[in-house]
Amino acid sequence: MKILSVQSSVAYGHVGNSAATFPLQRLGHEVWPVVTVHFSNHTGYGAWRGPLLAPSDVADVITGIGEREVTGPDGKPVSVLATADAVLSGYQGAEDVGAVILDAVARVKELNPAAVYCCDPVMGDVGRGMFVRPGIPEYMRDHVVPHADILTPNHFELDFLTDRTTHTEAEVLDAVDAVRDRGPRDVLVTSVITDETPAGTLEVLAVSDDGAWAVQTPQLPIAPNGCGDLTSALYLAHLLTTRSPQLALERTTSSVFSVLEATIAAGTREIQLIGAQASIANPPERFQARQLR
């Protein structure tokens, strides 16, 4: 599988493309990483260095990829973008960057109608509120989400996208259905904690045309940066290769949980993608999904 991934990049640590590219490659997929920023480290440290790329520069890189050609099924040259199976995006720091990503999605789908767009609508989280600049959440809700085929919000972001507060599993499913009515057919909701969730646990829900499933995991005492980027990349890969939301959910949660365990064992702030790579390449059978409908 070939994936065009448009996200941030850091030299030290693992967020954005620095969290998504290696796991996708470890699963055997070709990744074309296009970076929107190239920072020394993620901004959670409070200090960083490096450039924020202009939207026109990001667009130029994608245009350059599209200018490369390979031999198509009929023996004639085609743009390599015609061979892309998916476009993946995460944090979008400005509306102009979002527009570039949507344009790339449109170009890829024009060349390959079977390609899908997986969007992680990074905006905020419980306890932190919105951590993107004003205007981005509304742009994500009104312009980006309707174009996504696969959407991977956390519980907080799902509530914002649907203008509601969900307290039960049934309410979360209703909110997911409201999002799906606007475009995305496959939705993965992370960090789900409702009034019904047992203490010390959290859930991840996967919903598609085929049904809905949930995996419940222990709530570990860390919340490092980059886990959402890792989760989106793994779910996209497993969903497209297995065509089963249930299997994709089970494999994704098992791998991410293993990475978090390795991070705790190492006592580091950065997620241990390299140390836990065996659990990425071969997800352990740790969690069995519960079918909700």
Side-chain angles (χ1 to χ4, degrees), residues 182-199:
R182 300 182 58 218
R185 303 315 302 159
D186 286 277
V187 177
L188 182 78
V189 189
T190 62
S191 302
V192 176
I193 300 178
T194 70
D195 295 344
E196 303 163 334
T197 307

Side-chain angles (χ1 to χ4, degrees), residues 149-266:
D149 301 290
I150 304 169
L151 194 72
T152 61
N154 60 35
H155 192 175
F156 175 88
E157 292 161 342
L158 174 69
D159 279 359
F160 170 79
L161 292 173
T162 57
D163 192 25
R164 62 185 73 186
T165 302
T166 53
H167 296 286
T168 67
E169 194 172 77
E171 290 176 348
V172 172
L173 288 174
D174 285 344
V176 171
D177 287 341
V179 167
R180 294 179 70 243
D181 285 343
R182 300 182 58 218
R185 303 315 302 159
D186 286 277
V187 177
L188 182 78
V189 189
T190 62
S191 302
V192 176
I193 300 178
T194 70
D195 295 344
E196 303 163 334
T197 307
T201 69
L202 56 79
E203 288 192 319
V204 184
L205 273 61
V207 184
S208 76
D209 291 339
D210 297 325
W213 295 264
V215 160
Q216 186 178 99
T217 76
Q219 189 173 4
L220 297 174
I222 57 170
N225 295 78
C227 282
D229 306 315
L230 171 63
T231 299
S232 297
L234 292 180
Y235 188 70
L236 167 65
H238 289 308
L239 184 63
L240 293 192
T241 53
T242 67
R243 300 296 174 179
S244 167
Q246 177 184 351
L247 283 177
L249 173 63
E250 293 172 346
R251 293 179 182 181
T252 298
T253 52
S254 294
S255 291
V256 172
F257 195 82
S258 294
V259 169
L260 288 173
E261 285 185 318
T263 304
I264 292 173

Side-chain angles (χ1 to χ4, degrees), residues 93-127:
E95 292 91 331
D96 289 348
V97 174
V100 169
I101 293 172
L102 290 180
D103 180 67
V105 170
R107 292 168 65 185
V108 167
K109 288 193 170 189
E110 181 181 5
L111 294 167
N112 178 17
V116 300
Y117 173 35
C118 178
C119 171
D120 181 11
V122 179
M123 297 178 288
D125 205 351
V126 173

